[in-house]
Amino acid sequence: GQNIDQPTEMTATEGAIVQINCTYQTSGFNGLFWYQQHAGEAPTFLSYNVLDGLEEKGRFSSFLSRSKGYSYLLLKELQMKDSASYLCALFHRDSNYQLIWGAGTKLIIKP
Amino acid sequence: KAGVTQTPRYLIKTRGQQVTLSCSPISGHRSVSWYQQTPGQGLQFLFEYFSETQRNKGNFPGRFSGRQFSNSRSEMNVSTLELGDSALYLCASSSSGTQETQYFGPGTRLLVL
């Protein structure tokens, strides 16, 4: 199967660091996406990991480990505007090039 | 470039009716994907169109259909609406397919009474 699991909700403090995990069960895939979705808005692209390792983009970093079957999104120096849902999605050629989406993690930032 | 646009933004229908939603992709994008999103659920893939052809289809009943025109604009139709069809319907465009970054429209929020 290609189930994707994410925590439903997380809470963090402004200025802190938070790690949002995404675990999956699949025999192989092409790449893993992270999207951000503010309440009532459309998802917006954050990152795409193809190779194992950490990719950094400013305050946001995304990590992938194929051997361990997980990815995480790391958010540093949290700001109130980071309150949103974070969705991970797998691109798998055996799914006829459909993206398989996790249910998303709602991140709440407190002052 | 203008972003992905969807019309209408909000819609209220009653059970048994049908509805047509429209999506205009980013200029030059040939792939349009449709998703259903309900509270607590991830994005559920409906279908993807590329160059006027349905290339991929998710696990939705035949009441859900779509099409794409020569200018890449796409429409999605839901017939015989059910209460469970109440959701946010998102379309996303990309240059050549879901293996690339997708750009989402603002969505159409459908309420079925």
Side-chain angles (χ1 to χ4, degrees):
Chain A
Q2 298 162 358
N3 293 333
I4 299 178
D5 295 310
Q6 298 181 242
T8 303
E9 187 174 296
M10 299 180 70
T11 303
T13 304
E14 191 177 15
I17 299 174
V18 70
Q19 178 176 311
I20 302 174
N21 293 331
C22 171
T23 59
Y24 52 84
Q25 298 84 41
T26 182
S27 57
F29 60 93
N30 294 67
L32 188 144
F33 288 92
W34 282 96
Y35 280 80
Q36 179 192 58
Q37 185 177 25
H38 284 101
E41 298 182 11
T44 55
F45 170 80
L46 288 176
S47 66
Y48 180 48
N49 291 66
V50 176
L51 302 176
D52 282 4
L54 186 69
E55 292 203 8
E56 299 185 70
K57 280 187 182 181
R59 295 189 299 113
F60 291 13
S61 302
S62 57
F63 174 85
L64 176 64
S65 171
R66 289 175 180 270
S67 61
K68 295 183 179 178
Y70 86 103
S71 169
Y72 66 73
L73 184 68
L74 191 70
L75 291 75
K76 303 176 184 176
E77 301 169 16
L78 286 170
Q79 301 176 9
M80 298 302 291
K81 67 179 182 179
D82 297 330
S83 293
S85 289
Y86 293 86
L87 311 173
C88 70
L90 288 178
F91 172 61
H92 199 305
R93 62 180 178 273
D94 290 345
S95 296
N96 200 22
Y97 292 93
Q98 289 183 33
L99 278 181
I100 311 299
W101 293 83
T105 298
K106 182 179 180 181
L107 177 64
I108 300 169
I109 309 298
K110 295 186 174 179
Chain B
K1 278 185 179 178
V4 179
T5 58
Q6 290 186 247
T7 56
R9 292 292 311 277
Y10 303 92
L11 205 51
I12 300 176
K13 291 284 188 179
T14 56
R15 278 183 300 173
Q17 287 186 308
Q18 75 162 15
V19 66
T20 299
L21 311 181
S22 181
C23 171
S24 292
I26 290 173
S27 178
H29 283 188
R30 296 164 67 188
S31 168
V32 174
S33 297
W34 287 90
Y35 295 91
Q36 181 194 67
Q37 187 176 36
T38 52
Q41 299 285 323
L43 294 175
Q44 304 295 314
F45 175 76
L46 282 154
F47 27 66
E48 183 215 1
Y49 285 86
F50 182 83
S51 293
E52 302 180 65
T53 301
Q54 187 182 87
R55 192 161 63 174
N56 292 304
K57 189 176 187 304
N59 298 321
F60 277 79
R63 301 184 296 108
F64 292 81
S65 63
R67 58 178 175 168
Q68 187 179 35
F69 302 95
S70 58
N71 61 358
S72 292
R73 188 177 72 85
S74 177
E75 287 182 348
M76 188 193 97
N77 185 276
V78 188
S79 62
T80 319
L81 283 166
E82 301 177 359
L83 294 179
D85 296 333
S86 294
L88 179 66
Y89 290 88
L90 293 161
C91 84
S93 78
S94 64
S95 178
S96 60
T98 55
Q99 70 275 20
E100 297 186 340
T101 299
Q102 294 182 80
Y103 297 87
F104 285 82
T108 295
R109 189 164 295 282
L110 172 66
L111 178 61
V112 182
L113 301 176

